[in-house]
């Protein structure tokens, strides 16, 4: 028999001749590795039930996770919506500020351009009138607007010093409306005469030319407003000069065109005369009574 300790061959001896080990003791067999399936089969029923309940409870834990995630997602979405709304409001405010700044800058630029235009026209209005074009029509409208406002301001200041009733309506709105009617009627009459004469022209250029010749009337009205404090007679004379300039501007614009053509239905002299008569009638009916009343008042003789 071979010794399991020192591998010495001892024959039939019960003990090893070399190391003295007991040869009759049987070597313990190695512990078998348990089979999972057999171990699971051999588990008690309570153990398997506990494991199943534990597993199902662990699996049921994440069931609340989607609702929590949805709640968080909704919170993030609502927060993002609020942020987007506030960002949109800020963008809108910034855009409004930009637009307002652009409008202010444009107004400043238009004012500068009009001031330089005004000073250049004031020196030589008739020669400048021959060189203006469609791009100057806006400046012509601005000049006419200044004439209407300055005329109304003149009567408003005059009525306030006299102490007349209906100060705003009679002293500002009515003169403003009257002056606008006179200026629009002048443009309409020039347009009608040129159409009757069958002359080719551009309406915007016509407005620019008429507005250019009205620049001295603006200066006359500014001086009339200033002279109200000093003398009513001088102020009224300057006001009358401003309206005389309207007649001169109307005739100057018409006479620069080649009138008296054979195709015209009426002679040019009569058409121009009719235009002047219409403007004079409107001026007399709308403003003449006011001016005459002021001249006859005690304040008009100062």
């Amino acid at each position: 028999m071979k010794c399991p300790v020192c591998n010495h061959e001892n024959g039939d001896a019960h003990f090893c001749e070399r190391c003295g080990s007991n040869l009759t003791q049987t070597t313990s067999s190695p512990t078998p590795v348990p089979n999972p399936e057999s171990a699971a089969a051999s588990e008690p029923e309570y153990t398997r039930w506990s494991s199943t309940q534990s597993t199902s409870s662990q699996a049921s834990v994440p069931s609340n996770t989607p609702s929590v995630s949805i709640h968080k997602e909704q919170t993030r979405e609502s927060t993002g919506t609020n942020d987007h709304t506030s960002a949109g409001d800020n963008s809108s405010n910034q855009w409004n500020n930009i637009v307002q700044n652009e409008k202010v800058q444009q107004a400043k630029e238009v004012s500068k351009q009009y001031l330089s235009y005004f000073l250049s026209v004031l020196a030589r209005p008739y020669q400048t009138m021959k060189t203006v074009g469609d791009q100057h029509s806006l400046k012509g409208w601005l000049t006419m607007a200044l004439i209407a406002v300055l005329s109304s301001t003149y009567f408003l200041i005059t009525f306030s010093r006299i102490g007349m009733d209906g100060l705003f309506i009679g002293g500002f709105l009515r003169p403003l409306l009257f002056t606008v009617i006179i200026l629009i009627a002048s443009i309409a009459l020039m347009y009608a005469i040129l159409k009757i004469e069958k002359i080719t022209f551009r309406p915007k250029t016509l407005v620019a030319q008429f507005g250019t010749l009205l620049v001295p009337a603006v200066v006359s009205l500014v001086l009339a407003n200033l002279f109200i404090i000093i003398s009513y007679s001088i102020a009224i004379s300057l006001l009358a000069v401003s309206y005389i300039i309207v007649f001169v501007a109307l005739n100057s614009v018409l006479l620069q065109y080649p009138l008296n053509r054979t195709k015209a239905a009426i002679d040019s002299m009569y058409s121009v005369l009719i235009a002047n008569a219409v403007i004079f009638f409107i001026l007399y009916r709308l403003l003449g009574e006011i001016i005459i009343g002021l001249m006859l008042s005690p304040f008009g003789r100062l």
Side-chain angles (χ1 to χ4, degrees):
M1 183 177 292
K2 193 175 184 177
C3 179
V5 177
C6 62
N7 295 326
H8 179 70
E9 189 67 35
N10 295 298
D12 296 333
H14 295 284
F15 297 94
C16 180
E17 296 177 354
R18 177 179 293 179
C19 65
S21 299
N22 190 2
L23 300 178
T24 58
Q25 186 178 358
T26 56
T27 305
S28 60
S29 61
T31 304
V33 178
N35 190 1
E37 296 180 358
S38 61
S42 63
E43 282 183 350
E45 186 68 23
Y46 175 78
T47 305
R48 290 197 300 273
W49 180 83
S50 299
S51 301
T52 305
Q53 294 298 321
S54 175
T55 305
S56 62
S57 62
Q58 292 177 358
S60 63
V61 170
S63 62
N64 294 328
T65 303
S67 62
V68 176
S69 301
I70 293 173
H71 178 69
K72 292 181 179 179
E73 185 67 25
Q74 292 177 351
T75 304
R76 287 196 297 268
E77 289 179 357
S78 61
T79 305
T81 304
N82 294 331
D83 294 339
H84 180 71
T85 303
S86 60
D89 294 337
N90 294 331
S91 300
S92 179
N93 293 331
Q94 291 177 358
W95 175 252
N96 291 331
N97 293 331
I98 292 172
V99 171
Q100 292 177 358
N101 292 332
E102 288 181 354
K103 289 182 178 179
V104 171
Q105 294 298 329
Q106 289 177 357
K108 291 181 179 179
E109 187 65 25
V110 171
S111 300
K112 292 179 180 179
Q113 292 179 359
Y114 182 78
L115 182 60
S116 60
Y117 159 83
F118 186 90
L119 295 176
S120 62
V121 170
L122 187 60
R124 307 179 73 87
Y126 187 77
Q127 291 186 0
T128 307
M129 181 266 297
K130 293 182 177 180
T131 60
V132 295
D134 293 355
Q135 67 275 14
H136 298 94
S137 61
L138 178 60
K139 297 180 177 64
W141 287 116
L142 289 175
T143 303
M144 287 184 274
L146 286 175
I147 291 175
V149 172
L150 290 172
S151 300
S152 303
T153 305
Y154 173 86
F155 289 106
L156 181 62
I157 297 173
T158 303
F159 287 176
S160 63
R161 290 176 63 86
I162 295 176
M164 297 181 63
D165 297 332
L167 183 62
F168 182 72
I169 296 176
F172 186 80
L173 290 182
R174 288 182 65 188
L176 179 67
L177 179 62
F178 296 163
T179 308
V180 169
I181 291 175
I182 291 173
L183 295 174
I184 297 298
S186 300
I187 296 175
L189 288 169
M190 288 187 294
Y191 183 88
I193 291 173
L194 294 177
K195 283 293 185 180
I196 292 173
E197 295 283 338
K198 297 182 180 180
I199 295 174
T200 303
F201 67 97
R202 301 177 68 88
K204 288 185 177 181
T205 304
L206 185 69
V207 173
Q209 292 172 344
F210 184 62
T212 301
L213 294 178
L214 292 178
V215 168
V218 175
V219 178
S220 179
L221 286 170
V222 171
L223 295 175
N225 282 275
L226 295 177
F227 271 92
I228 293 176
I229 303 174
I230 303 172
S231 174
Y232 277 107
S233 59
I234 298 177
I236 291 175
S237 300
L238 290 171
L239 179 68
V241 168
S242 64
Y243 285 104
I244 292 173
I245 293 174
V246 175
F247 285 94
V248 175
L250 183 146
N251 291 278
S252 299
V253 172
L254 287 176
L255 294 176
Q256 72 154 339
Y257 286 95
L259 302 178
N260 197 21
R261 300 175 65 179
T262 56
K263 295 181 180 180
I266 186 174
D267 191 80
S268 301
M269 176 181 175
Y270 295 115
S271 60
V272 175
L273 180 62
I274 291 172
N276 284 270
V278 171
I279 296 301
F280 179 80
F281 177 78
I282 296 174
L283 180 63
Y284 174 77
R285 293 289 296 177
L286 300 181
L287 296 178
E289 296 178 0
I290 299 175
I291 297 175
I292 293 173
L294 289 175
M295 292 180 66
L296 296 177
S297 66
F299 296 93
R301 292 191 292 268
L302 294 178

